[in-house]
Amino acid sequence: MQKHLVLARSVKPQAVFASRQLRGASNEPAPHKQEAHRRCAAILKMLRLNALPMGAGLVALGAYGARSIAVPGATPQLLLAAALTVIVTGTSMVINDYHDFKRGVDTHATKPGRPLVKGDISLAEVKAFLIWVYSLHLGLLCLLSSKATRLWVLSSTMITYLYSQYLKPVPALKNIICALTVSMALGLGAMSVTAGLSGLASVWRPMVVVGGAICHREILMDILDAEGDAITGVKTLPVVLGVARALALSFVPLGLAGTVAASSGAALAFLPLALLGMMSLLAARKGFDPILLNIAIESAPFLLLTSLLYLLI
């Protein structure tokens, strides 16, 4: 009897220790879970989540601009339009990273923090994600009640795809396309609450303002990336024309936006755009200082929103 008690006492601590080890091991994430977390984190970073509210916000502003001719019960269509815009905005960022990495534009020298460059996710995994998301996009697209609205969303989606796949290397055209797709979100908002093209007449001025300001901002971003783009052979306007001429050219769309804003009767709508231009000129006078360029680039969405509020309210 005593022998059995001694044996039980000697075995018990070992059993307890072993069970604790097993419990500790079970708390550690399995390898496949770690891989899933890594891929999810990479996708979220590629989606540029900070840019998604702007797309949905532009849809809402477009709907507000066409409020006087909105049809009753249009809220579900507006929410659907906002969801589709978020999908198009996010996937366009992912596609852009996909093709930039595939072309060799994004490298450890130029974009060391990008998930594809770091190896956090593979091209095949990104492609699989895009297939699933675009399947969801097509399903939601069918729920839009207006044929014109469905074609509008489909056009925006195709433009973003063609931009990333074929048109991004074309100087100037890439900037125009980016500005066009962003301004189309305003038009979509108006169309979603009016069930057709009639809503565009209410928001054409804000659409021009958005397009002009975004085109100016895109060129500023190219100026900021000019050195890296020159190394990798990307032919942007600053690489082809030089940063000074590229900046001068960027004032053409910004000037158009300012002119349309001033002609609307809302005089204050012009001031935020003028301030954006002054910030760009200040950066140029300081030798295109990266900090000042970044300030102008990051301030552009807020200044644009201020101008739109003056136009629409």
Side-chain angles (χ1 to χ4, degrees):
M1 183 67 178
Q2 290 179 347
K3 290 181 179 180
H4 287 297
L5 288 172
V6 171
L7 182 60
R9 287 171 183 171
S10 64
V11 170
K12 187 176 180 181
Q14 294 177 359
V16 171
F17 178 73
S19 65
R20 286 175 179 173
Q21 278 190 321
L22 288 172
R23 284 199 301 270
S26 64
N27 290 333
E28 294 179 1
H32 69 277
K33 289 185 178 180
Q34 290 179 329
E35 288 293 310
H37 292 161
R38 176 184 57 78
R39 287 193 294 268
C40 286
I43 287 294
L44 289 175
K45 188 172 183 180
M46 295 174 73
L47 284 170
R48 316 290 203 281
L49 297 180
N50 61 318
L52 303 186
M54 180 179 177
L58 287 174
V59 173
L61 285 173
Y64 184 79
R67 63 192 180 280
S68 61
I69 55 173
V71 298
T75 301
Q77 290 292 300
L78 173 61
L79 295 175
L80 183 57
L84 286 165
T85 300
V86 168
I87 291 174
V88 172
T89 303
T91 52
S92 68
M93 303 292 184
V94 177
I95 292 174
N96 184 64
D97 284 2
Y98 177 92
H99 287 293
D100 279 353
F101 179 74
K102 197 173 180 180
R103 292 191 193 104
V105 174
D106 286 355
T107 65
H108 288 286
T110 57
K111 302 290 182 180
R114 294 279 171 90
L116 282 167
V117 176
K118 293 168 61 180
D120 291 339
I121 194 168
S122 68
L123 288 174
E125 289 168 338
V126 173
K127 191 172 183 179
F129 167 77
L130 289 170
I131 289 171
W132 281 103
V133 174
Y134 275 122
S135 298
L136 172 64
H137 177 269
L138 290 174
L140 294 176
L141 184 64
C142 296
L143 298 178
L144 289 171
S145 60
S146 165
K147 181 179 179 181
T149 310
R150 290 195 297 270
L151 289 174
W152 187 267
V153 175
L154 187 60
S155 298
S156 177
T157 307
M158 291 304 300
I159 289 171
T160 58
Y161 171 77
L162 292 173
Y163 161 78
S164 299
Q165 177 77 353
Y166 302 109
L167 303 176
K168 190 176 179 181
V170 182
L173 185 58
K174 67 182 288 292
N175 308 111
I176 295 171
I177 290 175
C178 284
L180 174 63
T181 54
V182 174
S183 66
M184 287 179 75
L186 267 173
L188 176 60
M191 293 174 68
S192 67
V193 297
T194 58
L197 295 171
S198 58
L200 295 179
S202 303
V203 295
W204 72 267
R205 281 191 176 89
M207 287 179 67
V208 173
V209 169
V210 168
I214 292 298
C215 190
H216 175 77
R217 182 176 185 261
E218 287 291 320
I219 296 175
L220 291 182
M221 293 169 68
D222 285 344
I223 291 173
L224 190 63
D225 294 337
E227 186 175 345
D229 289 338
I231 293 172
T232 54
V234 179
K235 294 182 179 180
T236 61
L237 283 174
V239 172
V240 175
L241 301 177
V243 291
R245 290 181 179 177
L247 179 65
L249 191 59
S250 74
F251 279 95
V252 174
L254 185 64
L256 175 62
T259 302
V260 170
S263 67
S264 66
L268 292 177
F270 169 78
L271 294 180
L273 302 175
L275 179 57
L276 176 58
M278 292 170 63
M279 294 170 69
S280 302
L281 288 174
L282 178 60
R285 290 194 63 180
K286 297 296 183 179
F288 293 95
D289 180 69
I291 295 176
L292 294 177
L293 278 172
N294 258 319
I295 292 174
I297 290 168
E298 296 302 325
S299 300
F302 172 75
L303 295 172
L304 177 56
L305 174 62
T306 305
S307 180
L308 288 175
L309 291 177
Y310 280 126
L311 281 171
L312 295 171
I313 295 178

